[in-house]
Amino acid sequence: LGIVLQNSAASREAMVRLDGVDKLLRGIAVYRKRDPADSEESEFMQNMFDCLCSLMLLPAHQLAFGKVQGVELMTRMMREQIFASNLAFRLTDHALRHCAPNCQIFVDKLGLKVLFTRFMKKGPRPKSRSAMRELDEHVTSIIHSLCRYCTGTAVARVLNKFTENRFEKLERLLEMHEEYARAVKEADSARLSGQLKKIDHELEVDEEEQLFLDRCDAGLFTLQQLDVVLVRLGSMGNIQATEEIGKLLNSKGVPLSEVCSTIEEYCAHLDESASLEIDEIRSFTKALVKRCGGNVEELCPEPKPKTAPAAKR
């Protein structure tokens, strides 16, 4: 079922009529406070999570997820710190993407506390480096969704998380930027110096595309999410937060040009349907550069228009 839902839009549509989200959530709810008994049960549970992640590609399923208290269930699973906890972060990430109602529910149902506990690396940590990086990716993506889609009291509560305790979470944001920027640069160096010569011919990619895939493996998406969160926080109207961002960029030695470059690469890989998001992020970036005393024209040059491919004769 997981493979079918991942590869078939028609199957995902059919699951709307079958109340697929509700039935799958009932299946994983039994693991709210206990771990699977064996590897076979563990695989069964993970498959249900995979099915739900695939269903979240459809807005109707995302809304159904919120209505049947899926967000609340995921929050409880995250808090219990059981086997399903990391899977709950992954599913929550998919359920909140481009879904404002679910973002509001997440904040209203006290999801911020458990989210930022993980963001600050408190509590049990995943056993492997790859699992830790995957969790970082989902946590930062959730935070980005909240910053983008929450409104009113909810977005104020998200911003408050970054200003409390002397801006410790803003500092953590910059520390993670340093960590992932370094990892991406190492991937660039390794590929360009010939240390990574393997090209995945099964994916039919060229050398430039393989370099991009290597950078993604090194944490490019997480780095982009971190920097987009940074510029969004700087444009929320809190003067103290904006000033602190400038101070932390200086104290950590993170150049504005590095942040701008990361954000521009993120925007460049979004398709035309995301034009509003692209304009918004670029506007926020220019505003942050200006507030930090940077040269907007130099750091945020107008992107070159995409040229249409030449017509075949």
Side-chain angles (χ1 to χ4, degrees):
L1 179 61
I3 295 172
V4 171
L5 292 176
Q6 185 178 6
N7 295 292
S8 170
S11 297
R12 293 192 292 270
E13 290 275 2
M15 289 291 275
V16 175
R17 300 190 302 274
L18 298 172
D19 293 327
V21 168
D22 185 41
K23 290 181 172 65
L24 287 165
L25 281 173
R26 290 176 186 274
I28 64 175
V30 300
Y31 302 104
R32 181 168 65 87
K33 290 189 175 182
R34 73 171 182 88
D35 288 338
D38 52 35
S39 59
E40 186 175 336
E41 189 177 6
S42 174
E43 184 178 0
F44 172 66
M45 182 193 71
Q46 291 182 69
N47 285 338
M48 286 192 288
F49 271 98
D50 289 342
C51 289
L52 280 164
C53 286
S54 294
L55 292 181
M56 293 305 105
L57 292 169
L58 206 62
H61 286 307
Q62 288 182 305
L63 294 174
F65 187 86
K67 288 178 181 177
V68 298
Q69 300 184 332
V71 176
E72 292 94 317
L73 176 61
M74 293 305 102
T75 302
R76 289 196 291 269
M77 284 184 155
M78 295 175 195
R79 194 179 295 122
E80 291 294 335
Q81 297 179 349
I82 51 177
F83 179 80
S85 294
N86 290 351
L87 296 172
F89 275 99
R90 175 173 168 243
L91 178 51
T92 301
D93 178 14
H94 286 78
L96 267 56
R97 288 183 190 179
H98 310 294
C99 186
N102 284 354
C103 290
Q104 294 285 132
I105 292 171
F106 184 83
V107 176
D108 291 342
K109 298 303 177 180
L110 308 180
L112 291 179
K113 183 176 180 180
V114 65
L115 174 66
F116 281 96
T117 295
R118 284 300 179 100
F119 179 69
M120 296 301 291
K121 294 288 195 293
K122 296 177 181 177
R125 302 181 66 177
K127 296 179 180 179
S128 68
R129 179 182 175 87
S130 60
M132 187 71 250
R133 291 209 161 179
E134 182 179 355
L135 182 58
D136 281 348
E137 177 181 316
H138 295 308
V139 168
T140 54
S141 182
I142 291 170
I143 294 173
H144 176 211
S145 293
L146 297 177
C147 289
R148 183 181 178 192
Y149 292 107
C150 284
T151 57
T153 303
V155 75
R157 289 170 64 181
V158 175
L159 177 60
N160 183 61
K161 278 292 178 182
F162 283 96
T163 59
E164 67 185 12
N165 298 329
R166 296 194 299 180
F167 301 99
E168 65 173 6
K169 295 174 185 67
L170 267 182
E171 186 171 1
R172 175 66 190 144
L173 196 70
L174 268 296
E175 289 171 354
M176 290 182 70
H177 168 96
E178 289 180 293
E179 176 188 345
Y180 280 93
R182 183 166 53 250
V184 171
K185 287 176 184 175
E186 289 172 357
D188 289 345
S189 299
R191 170 65 63 181
L192 296 174
S193 65
Q195 295 176 40
L196 294 176
K197 296 183 179 179
K198 182 180 177 182
I199 294 179
D200 195 333
H201 295 290
E202 291 184 6
L203 296 178
E204 298 181 352
V205 297
D206 58 26
E207 194 165 334
E208 183 179 347
E209 291 169 327
Q210 187 63 52
L211 175 58
F212 177 71
L213 293 174
D214 292 339
R215 302 179 86 223
C216 289
D217 288 342
L220 176 62
F221 179 73
T222 302
L223 175 64
Q224 291 172 341
Q225 297 297 297
L226 290 165
D227 287 356
V228 172
V229 167
L230 190 70
V231 298
R232 285 190 180 278
L233 290 171
S235 298
M236 286 187 180
N238 186 298
I239 297 174
Q240 290 84 1
T242 304
E243 290 178 348
E244 190 64 24
I245 288 172
K247 292 176 184 176
L248 286 169
L249 286 168
N250 288 330
S251 65
K252 298 288 183 184
V254 176
L256 270 172
S257 58
E258 188 172 272
V259 175
C260 294
S261 176
T262 300
I263 288 175
E264 186 52 40
E265 183 176 10
Y266 172 75
C267 291
H269 283 91
L270 294 175
D271 60 31
E272 292 181 359
S273 64
S275 59
L276 290 178
E277 180 186 1
I278 293 170
D279 292 343
E280 182 180 61
I281 292 174
R282 284 175 173 157
S283 174
F284 290 159
T285 304
K286 290 177 181 179
L288 182 63
V289 169
K290 187 175 181 179
R291 291 190 189 104
C292 292
N295 186 318
V296 175
E297 292 184 0
E298 180 182 327
L299 297 176
C300 306
E302 291 299 318
K304 297 178 181 179
K306 296 180 180 180
T307 56
K312 294 182 180 180
R313 294 184 178 180

